[in-house]
Amino acid sequence: MARVVTVGAAQLGPIQKAESRESVVERLCALMEKAHRRGVQILVYPELALTTFFPRWYMADWAEVDRWFESALPSNTTAPLFAAARRYGIGFHLGYAELTQEADETGKLRTRRFNTAVMVSPAGEVLLKYRKIHLPGHAEFEAQRHAQHLEKRYFEVGNLGWPVRRIGWDGIAPANMGLMICNDRRWPEAWRVMGLQNVELVMLGYNTPALNTTNAGHESPHLRVEHSHLSVRAGAYQNATWAVAVAKAGNEDGHELFGSSIIVNPQGQIVAEASSWQDELIVADADLDLCRLGKTTIFNFAAHRRPEHYGMILDRVGARDPD
Ligand code: CDV
């Protein structure tokens, strides 16, 4: 039996700082209803899909920070999304800011904050959870920046690795699914850890400014999109997997996010691409058996990888000149 799953990328237009969570959830539900009409079985929403991209704002007061986080999923506010998924029989991926009371590596129970994504079954079960590992930006206010990017302030580095799980339900043949978030897509290591688990469908959400906000040099906006697509296409091709990369797009309180969500096949080709900076659905029929060619030939890892020569990747963090 062909293993074809109809996947949808639910790009979100801007979410202003003042927009309520209830209003955002309504938008998510409207996209899900549209996805249902187009036969989507798995719908992917962006990173931090319930709020504006709040790490661009410096907050000293942690009570204020915590207002951007979810301490339960579903909650009263997000319950309509879970109900819509049940009604339509759609599984979904959602990025959100997670607030949890959890023991750390020393065993101490404390408040922890993560940039998280989950894959939820139509019945509302969390099948897969990922906490962002490659956190970009900085931890303190930086006056020279056009905009802050305070992910290192508000989130801890994820502690769940890059999990891949074989997932299926009535109407969906089992497939190896994995999650990464935004900046991870630029790191081949993230893709390869999932490739080594035979991933067939990678889901990822992102919020990427249309301008390089570090002020460190000029990077034209079209190259920002190019680099995003290049990263996803290379990751998909080199690991012979489908990838759904979904953006938040448009002008959030004066800060532009470039959007350009894509669905990519295991050959690294873009098969669907968003064209607006609004809430927009793109759809593709993902034939998971197309992963087999790459996985059994040029990227047959068992036959061709040479880990005995890759030691430096684990031993060395920063680059340095040769001795
Ligand atoms: N949210 C992100 O992780 N954004 C980064 C930006 C800061 C470069 C990205 O890689 O798109």
Side-chain angles (χ1 to χ4, degrees):
M1 184 182 96
R3 292 188 308 135
V4 178
V5 51
T6 304
V7 293
Q11 177 174 286
L12 287 174
I15 301 175
Q16 306 308 333
K17 219 177 167 185
E19 183 167 352
S20 71
R21 295 270 220 295
E22 285 77 7
S23 155
V24 175
V25 170
E26 267 178 40
R27 288 167 58 184
L28 300 180
C29 290
L31 281 162
M32 191 176 275
E33 199 260 335
K34 197 179 270 186
H36 167 64
R37 282 192 268 118
R38 293 191 55 186
V40 168
Q41 295 167 298
I42 295 179
L43 186 60
V44 185
Y45 295 107
E47 172 191 36
L48 299 177
L50 297 169
T51 64
T52 193
F53 188 71
F54 66 86
R56 73 167 68 87
W57 307 107
Y58 178 80
M59 293 169 273
D61 174 359
W62 286 93
E64 186 189 347
V65 173
D66 287 348
R67 284 203 282 275
W68 299 102
F69 282 72
E70 311 300 311
S71 50
L73 202 71
S75 59
N76 286 344
T77 312
T78 50
L81 182 63
F82 284 71
R86 200 170 311 115
R87 188 160 62 247
Y88 301 133
I90 291 180
F92 68 95
H93 159 287
L94 183 74
Y96 67 103
E98 180 190 14
L99 183 69
T100 176
Q101 296 297 320
E102 216 174 272
D104 63 18
E105 44 299 328
T106 69
K108 186 166 170 243
L109 188 68
R110 61 179 175 81
T111 300
R112 307 187 70 179
R113 299 174 185 82
F114 296 99
N115 184 343
T116 296
V118 284
M119 163 82 199
V120 180
S121 76
E125 186 191 351
V126 173
L127 299 172
L128 205 50
K129 182 183 229 182
Y130 169 67
R131 291 167 168 166
K132 187 173 181 179
I133 290 174
H134 291 112
L135 295 173
H138 48 108
E140 297 302 330
F141 183 81
E142 291 187 358
Q144 78 282 9
R145 283 180 172 260
H146 295 304
Q148 302 298 301
H149 194 108
L150 289 154
E151 287 196 60
K152 282 187 161 68
R153 177 177 185 80
Y154 300 135
F155 305 119
E156 287 183 55
V157 172
N159 57 356
L160 303 175
W162 283 282
V164 174
R165 188 173 161 194
R166 196 159 182 81
I167 290 173
W169 56 78
D170 198 18
I172 295 216
N176 300 337
M177 302 189 197
L179 312 179
M180 62 170 76
I181 299 179
C182 193
N183 191 256
D184 288 323
R185 73 195 187 285
R186 304 181 195 274
W187 299 88
E189 295 88 344
W191 291 94
R192 187 48 49 88
V193 168
M194 292 203 280
L196 286 167
Q197 298 173 81
N198 265 335
V199 73
E200 296 172 303
L201 176 61
V202 172
M203 291 164 262
L204 72 104
Y206 61 96
N207 282 264
T208 305
L211 295 174
N212 185 335
T213 54
T214 60
N215 227 355
H218 178 69
E219 189 182 7
S220 63
H222 82 276
L223 283 180
R224 303 278 286 170
V225 176
E226 182 71 16
H227 294 156
S228 177
H229 287 183
L230 189 64
S231 302
V232 176
R233 294 181 59 195
Y237 165 63
Q238 291 169 349
N239 296 280
T241 178
W242 284 88
V244 183
V246 188
K248 181 120 67 56
N251 192 317
E252 286 191 340
D253 294 306
H255 301 275
E256 281 179 355
L257 300 166
F258 64 58
S260 300
S261 304
I262 48 174
I263 301 175
V264 174
N265 73 16
Q267 298 282 2
Q269 294 169 293
I270 296 174
V271 297
E273 180 170 354
S275 57
S276 76
W277 274 12
Q278 299 300 325
D279 292 2
E280 180 179 346
L281 176 71
I282 56 171
V283 176
D285 290 327
D287 181 347
L288 298 161
D289 289 332
L290 291 183
C291 301
R292 200 179 315 126
L293 178 65
K295 286 189 193 303
T296 55
T297 58
I298 196 154
F299 296 115
N300 176 342
F301 294 155
H304 306 305
R305 286 186 81 245
R306 294 287 171 250
E308 65 275 24
H309 294 287
Y310 305 157
M312 202 181 288
I313 289 178
L314 282 185
D315 297 342
R316 192 177 287 187
V317 181
R320 58 173 196 250
D321 288 340
D323 296 330

